[in-house]
Amino acid sequence: MSFTLEAPLAHKILNSFFENVSYVEGSETSEADKSVFESLTEGPSAEAYPHLARWYAHIAAVKGLNAKDAAAAPTAAAEEDEEDVDLFGSDEEEDEEFEKLKAQRVAEYNAKKANKPKTIAKTTVTLEVKPWDDETDMDKLTEGVKAITMDGLLWGGHQLVAIGYGIKKLQINCVVEDDKVLIDDLSDQILELEDYVQSVDVAAMQKI
């Protein structure tokens, strides 16, 4: 299917496009370049659209296509100075400058990405700590649990919940950093309060 791109709007859009790339697709000439080339109703002005003119002249040479009058003709300023416009002379230099700019921007992006703060994964956990019997001092049990400190552990609210026969269990919330705190390790430390604690269960977990 053939199509045409009417100037000057097409020239303006394409000139901006080829400011940072050398070809329509990929890193070498393709049928896409030929298709766009042939769709232009007239050649671009090298003075008004230098990036497009560079690409246009390059594709004409590589593909053996016939450049249209505007691209082949020298600019008005060049005619006054009786100097030829050499579109090929700057192509290699511009490609080199583009590659340098591309490498610089990639390096800047990678540096920015490396310096970007890493998102810390956290989890809200509800633990249920059961005492030995109804004579267990729940205040001492609660104090002992909340006295446990670990890097990445933050204790939250708590309450005592009746479970029958006059026995209450401690239900306590905490926030842990996933990379620093293992729930099994935390449970083991709570179980070390063996004078007060019979068991520890995870009642709920939710990623933050």
Side-chain angles (χ1 to χ4, degrees):
M1 179 183 294
S2 62
F3 62 98
T4 58
L5 298 174
E6 298 294 333
L9 179 58
H11 288 180
K12 183 176 181 180
I13 295 173
L14 290 172
N15 187 66
S16 297
F17 176 78
F18 287 114
E19 183 177 357
N20 295 317
V21 299
S22 299
Y23 304 101
V24 174
E25 295 178 349
S27 59
E28 59 184 20
T29 56
S30 65
E31 286 301 310
D33 292 279
K34 180 179 179 181
S35 179
V36 173
F37 181 98
E38 293 178 341
S39 69
L40 295 174
T41 56
E42 62 183 66
S45 165
E47 183 177 12
Y49 310 105
H51 306 296
L52 175 59
R54 171 186 57 77
W55 168 85
Y56 189 90
H58 180 60
I59 299 305
V62 172
K63 293 293 186 180
L65 302 174
N66 294 321
K68 300 175 181 68
D69 293 340
T75 63
E79 288 179 335
E80 292 175 2
D81 295 336
E82 295 183 354
E83 295 179 355
D84 293 331
V85 176
D86 184 4
L87 295 177
F88 296 100
S90 62
D91 183 64
E92 183 176 348
E93 294 178 2
E94 290 192 14
D95 284 347
E96 183 178 348
E97 288 299 319
F98 169 71
E99 291 301 328
K100 289 182 180 179
L101 178 60
K102 180 180 177 181
Q104 178 182 345
R105 290 181 177 175
V106 168
E108 291 173 352
Y109 171 79
N110 290 335
K112 183 177 180 181
K113 185 176 181 180
N115 294 328
K116 185 178 180 180
K118 181 182 178 181
T119 301
I120 300 175
K122 296 181 179 181
T123 302
T124 298
V125 183
T126 300
L127 298 173
E128 291 184 343
V129 184
K130 294 180 181 178
W132 287 108
D133 50 40
D134 61 339
E135 296 183 358
T136 300
D137 189 332
M138 295 305 294
D139 289 337
K140 292 290 186 181
L141 185 151
T142 302
E143 290 176 6
V145 170
K146 301 195 78 170
I148 295 173
T149 59
M150 300 175 69
D151 184 22
L153 168 65
L154 178 64
W155 291 111
H158 69 277
Q159 62 179 342
L160 298 180
V161 180
I163 57 177
Y165 302 102
I167 302 174
K168 295 182 179 181
K169 64 183 177 181
L170 170 66
Q171 192 174 79
I172 187 167
N173 297 321
C174 63
V175 175
V176 299
E177 293 184 23
D178 297 348
D179 290 341
K180 295 181 178 180
V181 179
L182 295 177
I183 300 303
D184 287 345
D185 291 345
L186 178 58
S187 297
D188 288 343
Q189 289 202 36
I190 295 175
L191 287 171
E192 289 179 5
L193 301 169
E194 55 188 18
D195 291 339
Y196 306 101
V197 177
Q198 179 193 78
S199 64
V200 179
D201 296 307
V202 176
M205 296 180 68
Q206 183 176 355
K207 295 290 184 181
I208 299 178

